[in-house]
Amino acid sequence: MKIIQEIGAYVMLMFQAFKRPDKGRVFRRQLMMDFQSLGTDSIGIIAILSLFFGAIIAIQMAYNIDSPFIPLKTIGFSTRQMMIVEFAPTIMSLILAGKVGSSIASEIGTMRVTEQIDALKVMGINPANYLILPKITASVLYNPVLIVFSIVLGIFGGWIAIMVTGLSSSVAYIEGLRSWYDPFTITYALIKTVVFAFIIASVSGFKGYTVKGGSVEVGKASTQAVVYSSILIIIFDLILTQMLLV
Amino acid sequence: MIEVKNISKSFAGQKVLNDISTVFDKGKTNLIIGQSGSGKTILMKCCIGLVDVDEGKIDFDKRCFSDLSEKKKRVTQKEMGVLFQGGALFDSFTVEDNVMFPLNMFTKMSQEEKNERVNFVLNRVNLINANHKFPSEISGGMTKRVAIARAIALNPKYLFCDEPNSGLDPKTAEVIDALISDLTEEFQMTTVVNTHDMNSVLQIGQKIAFLHKGDLWWEGDKEGILTTDNKELNDFVFSTELTRRIK
């Protein structure tokens, strides 16, 4: 029963959030700030993790190729496929759910318990629209950029690992990257990223917006935002994979 | 003028406001006093539209407010200035940006005009050279003054102050009280102040409503409060040894 109430409250909040902003100029300024805080500030962690993920995938693939009948270009091919299809869109979104989701929930939650949201409301402003819509928009627009960046760096990380360890040659790795390429995998990755970005920003915004109490509840809301976003990301990963690839 | 007509409010079956009727006059500092839990914050939240009433209605200058939809309430809310207990300043904005916020949202003023208005209201609340500070860098008294400046930036018709003196030393509290009273007179606003600070009551209480366990127990002015024989009010006003001795 409580879950149904929460889903109802979430849908109602999204209806409030997806209204025309009170003032376009103010919305654009909020959006720019959210591009910075939710997108640009995440580039560092995405870059480091992607480089290492790519390197680890390449090394693990190389060690698992025992048979001489499997060509070495499989390493490049597998690294590319894994980065595009799963690691970049899903794992990076899970990491962003932790970083960005907790930040959104705690920011909005703190505004709730310190009456800043009430202050917005009595000024005649729609707080859900003012606070949540720019964050959803920024995430939905910026996360695909981050994920493409992650794919490129992951593949580059794999190449560096192969070069440093000498497990394969650069030529074989690059040949693998260029083999059996299906452009739809990029579309699939971007569709997943957009859906996951919406989940992260909207669920975290909802958990922050509906906080009741004090700082302890803000902490709990922040944790719940990460947990709920992560679970929903995995569920929607399965649904989208079934819908788009099978 | 704000008219509160027979309003009641319950939470989970427990009545917190019981058939309250009163009038808050224009150009006066109207005080709602009472012990913690007496319902004064809920009454104020009903007045500003943060809580819906179960029964009764609230009129702002003969315009019904409590029955309106959220969207229509916003029109009247734009005529209100509210000072929240903790100030409710936006943490990520400077003092100047906080005061400019309602101007950015609801006016078509040029940047120069907005700067001029911000400096005027900040001067009016005696805050000079604080424009570029963040809320975390200013004192409690300054926070309240910035919140008042933000509340009056749009020349509101109605000013609501929830416990404006909480957390302040007596001297700063007196400054804030005097400021609220002066601004009310100067801009002819209908001001409603929630307080349980007896210094405020005696200093600025032009009209006082005493709430007790959700009921409106007594109404009068600051002179009347000292001479009343209402037991509950006397227990509240003269609750300390010092005030009893003075009486």
Side-chain angles (χ1 to χ4, degrees):
Chain A
M1 193 67 192
K2 202 185 164 204
I3 290 175
I4 295 168
Q5 279 178 343
E6 283 235 336
I7 292 169
Y10 169 79
V11 173
M12 296 287 283
L13 184 68
M14 288 305 113
F15 273 116
Q16 279 183 53
F18 280 89
K19 288 198 171 151
R20 196 180 160 172
D22 289 313
K23 205 143 191 183
R25 196 163 46 84
V26 175
F27 173 76
R28 283 193 293 276
R29 199 179 68 176
Q30 284 288 104
L31 188 60
M32 288 302 151
M33 283 162 61
D34 288 331
F35 274 143
Q36 170 72 33
S37 63
L38 307 181
T40 310
D41 289 352
S42 305
I43 287 177
I45 188 167
I46 293 288
I48 292 167
L49 293 175
S50 302
L51 268 173
F52 278 84
F53 273 133
I56 293 160
I57 292 168
I59 292 169
Q60 285 183 350
M61 285 306 301
Y63 275 111
N64 281 292
I65 294 175
D66 291 334
S67 168
F69 294 110
I70 301 173
L72 283 175
K73 69 176 183 179
T74 309
I75 299 169
F77 166 73
S78 305
T79 306
R80 184 199 72 203
Q81 281 302 92
M82 288 180 79
M83 284 308 300
I84 293 175
V85 174
E86 201 57 28
F87 270 84
T90 308
I91 304 298
M92 290 306 146
S93 292
L94 286 171
I95 285 155
L96 287 173
K99 182 185 178 289
V100 172
S102 62
S103 152
I104 292 173
S106 52
E107 181 190 328
I108 297 179
T110 305
M111 289 185 78
R112 167 63 76 192
V113 299
T114 54
E115 297 180 309
Q116 292 175 51
I117 291 181
D118 288 343
L120 284 170
K121 200 175 174 192
V122 294
M123 280 181 203
I125 293 163
N126 173 352
N129 176 267
Y130 175 77
L131 294 172
I132 299 175
L133 186 62
K135 294 191 192 314
I136 293 176
T137 313
S139 293
V140 165
L141 293 178
Y142 209 123
N143 282 20
V145 177
L146 287 176
I147 269 37
V148 170
F149 180 63
S150 164
I151 292 169
V152 173
L153 279 181
I155 291 169
F156 181 61
W159 179 77
I160 291 175
I162 291 300
M163 290 295 93
V164 171
T165 56
L167 289 166
S168 176
S169 68
S170 177
V171 173
Y173 185 81
I174 292 167
E175 197 190 340
L177 290 181
R178 300 176 66 179
S179 300
W180 307 296
Y181 174 64
D182 177 5
F184 181 71
T185 52
I186 293 285
T187 311
Y188 163 73
L190 292 178
I191 290 171
K192 286 208 304 185
T193 303
V194 168
V195 173
F196 298 162
F198 180 82
I199 289 171
I200 294 167
S202 63
V203 170
S204 307
F206 169 72
K207 292 311 292 181
Y209 197 85
T210 50
V211 164
K212 281 187 183 123
S215 55
V216 175
E217 282 74 17
V218 174
K220 281 181 187 167
S222 180
T223 309
Q224 282 177 355
V226 177
V227 172
Y228 289 8
S229 301
S230 302
I231 292 170
L232 284 170
I233 284 171
I234 292 298
I235 292 170
F236 274 85
D237 190 20
L238 180 67
I239 294 169
L240 289 171
T241 304
Q242 175 68 21
M243 279 171 63
L244 298 172
L245 287 191
V246 178
Chain B
M1 181 175 70
I2 303 166
E3 289 169 271
V4 176
K5 297 174 180 172
N6 308 104
I7 68 163
S8 296
K9 180 71 192 173
S10 301
F11 288 107
Q14 194 182 352
K15 216 154 204 173
V16 287
L17 290 178
N18 186 26
D19 197 26
I20 304 277
S21 295
T22 187
V23 174
F24 300 123
D25 297 323
K26 187 183 174 186
K28 279 188 180 175
T29 310
N30 303 272
L31 265 53
I32 306 170
I33 62 169
Q35 287 179 321
S36 299
S38 59
K40 54 188 191 303
T41 299
I42 295 298
L43 176 58
M44 182 170 278
K45 284 188 172 177
C46 289
C47 289
I48 60 180
L50 285 179
V51 172
D52 291 329
V53 297
D54 294 339
E55 291 166 42
K57 59 181 200 164
I58 299 166
D59 291 351
F60 283 73
D61 291 316
K62 307 284 180 197
R63 292 169 299 160
C64 182
F65 174 71
S66 50
D67 295 343
L68 298 176
S69 66
E70 287 283 311
K71 199 174 174 183
K72 286 182 180 166
K73 271 182 186 169
R74 278 189 212 138
V75 178
T76 307
Q77 283 173 327
K78 285 173 191 167
E79 297 175 345
M80 296 177 192
V82 181
L83 167 62
F84 285 90
Q85 196 170 345
L89 298 182
F90 304 126
D91 302 324
S92 54
F93 290 179
T94 60
V95 163
E96 186 175 271
D97 289 339
N98 264 286
V99 179
M100 204 179 280
F101 184 77
L103 303 175
N104 284 334
M105 292 302 289
F106 301 116
T107 69
K108 288 181 178 168
M109 286 177 169
S110 67
Q111 194 57 43
E112 247 176 54
E113 288 170 323
K114 282 189 273 190
N115 287 337
E116 202 176 303
R117 179 70 188 158
V118 167
N119 289 329
F120 170 76
V121 289
L122 284 175
N123 279 335
R124 187 61 197 80
V125 297
N126 305 317
L127 263 180
I128 299 153
N129 297 328
N131 290 36
H132 301 296
K133 289 187 172 162
F134 282 91
S136 57
E137 297 169 340
I138 59 178
S139 67
M142 286 168 88
T143 300
K144 300 273 171 144
R145 281 188 277 168
V146 177
I148 294 172
R150 185 177 69 182
I152 62 167
L154 283 176
N155 267 331
K157 284 184 178 174
Y158 317 101
L159 179 65
F160 293 89
C161 307
D162 187 17
E163 311 263 5
N165 296 335
S166 67
L168 300 181
D169 63 89
K171 200 152 190 172
T172 311
E174 205 180 324
V175 172
I176 297 292
D177 282 340
L179 187 59
I180 291 169
S181 179
D182 292 349
L183 290 170
T184 301
E185 216 172 304
E186 190 177 329
F187 299 113
Q188 282 298 297
M189 296 182 287
T190 305
T191 297
V192 181
V193 179
N194 248 354
T195 188
H196 46 58
D197 180 353
M198 289 318 297
N199 292 326
S200 301
V201 173
L202 296 177
Q203 196 182 351
I204 61 169
Q206 290 173 297
K207 181 172 182 186
I208 302 160
F210 172 61
L211 291 188
H212 181 67
K213 292 181 180 170
D215 289 306
L216 181 62
W217 214 255
W218 182 88
E219 276 187 290
D221 59 17
K222 61 185 176 187
E223 310 302 330
I225 208 166
L226 296 172
T227 53
T228 179
D229 53 6
N230 185 304
K231 185 185 175 301
E232 282 75 15
L233 182 56
N234 274 324
D235 287 348
F236 173 71
V237 175
F238 304 106
S239 58
T240 63
E241 184 61 32
L242 178 68
T243 49
R244 275 195 295 272
R245 280 189 186 185
I246 291 168
K247 193 185 182 191

